[in-house]
Amino acid sequence: MLIVQKFGGTSVGDLERIQNVANRVSTTVKKGHDVVVVVSAMSGETNKLVGYAEHFSSNPSRVEMDMLLSSGERVTASLLSIALQEMGHKAVAMTGRKAGIVTDNHHTKARIEEIDPTTMQNAVKEGKIVVVAGFQGVNEDGDVTTLGRGGSDLSAVAIAGALQADLCEIYTDVSGIFTTDPRIEPKAKKLDKISYDEMLELASLGAKVLQNRSVELAKKLNVNLVTRTSFSDEEGTLITKEENIMEKPLVSGIALDRNQARISLLGVKDRPGIASDIFNKLAAAEVNVDMIIQNKAVDETTNIDFTVPVGDLHDAKAVVEEFVKNGEIQDESYNEDICKVSVVGVGMKSHAGVAAKAFSTMAQNNININMISTSEIKVSMVIDEKYAELAVRSLHDAYQLDK
Ligand code: ADP
Ligand code: ASP
Ligand code: MG
């Protein structure tokens, strides 16, 4: 078999752990498999580099940020390759560029456009273990790009797709996908299987165990994806097609996203086309808008509230301020002390009352809901950040996810 094994930050967090990873890869190779490894930076390293840049600028150039941040993964890839060579294996470390990963030009959140796997394939044919630095690629101009935070998951899935690997294993610091973040709710249960669609919702709604775009791509390319721990041999969670899952629970999991900010636009001129103007400008600035609420107009003005990821707040403010300057918006306010809790499950498609239960759970705990949005398989609520953990735990209880 050809197996892609990705190791996240904690799994390569120090030199001893990198040696453990080398041992695990070695064991897989000795079983007769070809292995391509994808690594993250050592835990905390990427944040440390971000902190260095912020020492000099509150809004550093994205091109330079990519040059900086991509270095963390190169350190781990080379160290792991050295460790494997020392164990008697043939191994080679590759940057994203060497691995043939070509992206678009959106620095710090680039999309993979294509992968030319020839160099990786040739190395595998020569009996080498290929160790790729995750999270990075190269654009048409030859500049290094990065794939968004958590992007090594995406590197792994994309490489598994390009190499038509039999399996893509994501090794992390928990033993699989749980009904909610086990660090918030110790009663959370590990799932044996979860559908691509549910996993995509959970990941998009804040469960950072997998980067959302990696799940989207795994679904598209039909990659056999398993999440498991690098600290034991415990079986992980298979992420697969919905039809491969026999028992479909009503609710599969609860997600929490603390990384949201709310923007309130007050006294917005109520004319046809105003929403289109505001949200098109936000889209052009690559701001990811999530929930939107517009109130009924009074005296020819209205209020519009929406949420964005905290990381997009700087760009969103710049857009909003233009409208304030030209008088189409009277005033704006920003609130970062919010979070979004979501209930996800394919079973909702055919059952009524799931949303109602979420709302009454909030009511019983005296938690005020600020915004709501729903889809076929999720219910999301924006609440004050101070209630985040209480909300997650009481929803987990309400849907009896520990049973
Ligand atoms: P890595 O560094 O290996 O990429 P991450 O920190 O990105 O690991 O993701 C793993 C973390 O995701 C876990 O430690 C856990 O706290 C968190 N997490 C959030 N939601 C879930 C969930 N539903 N199941 C498992 N882990 C979750
Ligand atoms: N090191 C990068 C990050 O911390 C990418 C990753 O770990 O997946 O976001
Ligand atoms: Mg991660």
Side-chain angles (χ1 to χ4, degrees), residues 6 8-10 171-174 176-178 180-183 207-209:
K6 179 259 170 177
T10 319
Y171 286 90
T172 184
D173 56 3
V174 287
I177 309 300
F178 284 71
T180 193
D181 189 337
R183 293 182 204 285
K208 71 163 184 168
V209 59

Side-chain angles (χ1 to χ4, degrees), residues 13 56 61 65 92 101 129 163 207 237 265 282 302 325 330 389:
F56 298 104
S61 141
M65 284 310 280
V92 56
I101 301 173
I129 301 169
L163 294 171
T237 302
L265 309 179
L282 288 166
T302 180
K325 233 186 260 160
Q330 280 163 15
E389 307 208 337

Side-chain angles (χ1 to χ4, degrees), residues 6 8-9 40 149-153 170-172 208-211:
K6 179 259 170 177
S40 287
R149 295 306 301 269
S152 296
D153 296 333
I170 307 285
Y171 286 90
T172 184
K208 71 163 184 168
V209 59
L210 285 174
Q211 193 220 29

Side-chain angles (χ1 to χ4, degrees), residues 118-150:
T118 321
T119 311
M120 287 189 285
Q121 278 163 339
N122 288 340
V124 171
K125 268 187 219 142
E126 289 164 17
K128 290 182 182 154
I129 301 169
V130 174
V131 185
V132 183
F135 180 51
Q136 57 184 277
V138 64
N139 67 13
E140 270 185 347
D141 302 329
D143 296 321
V144 183
T145 52
T146 62
L147 309 175
R149 295 306 301 269

Side-chain angles (χ1 to χ4, degrees), residues 4-6 152-158 160-161 165-171 177 192-196 199-200 203 209-219 221-228 236-241:
V4 172
Q5 297 187 324
K6 179 259 170 177
S152 296
D153 296 333
L154 179 62
S155 307
V157 169
D166 300 285
L167 179 63
C168 180
E169 294 180 315
I170 307 285
Y171 286 90
I177 309 300
D192 294 331
K193 291 180 182 178
I194 186 168
S195 68
Y196 289 120
M199 190 62 235
L200 181 55
V209 59
L210 285 174
Q211 193 220 29
N212 59 351
R213 279 159 54 198
S214 72
V215 183
E216 196 176 39
L217 191 66
K219 181 185 178 191
L221 304 178
N222 210 355
V223 171
N224 266 320
L225 191 62
V226 168
T227 302
R228 54 188 303 182
T237 302
L238 175 69
I239 297 116
T240 186
K241 288 186 196 158

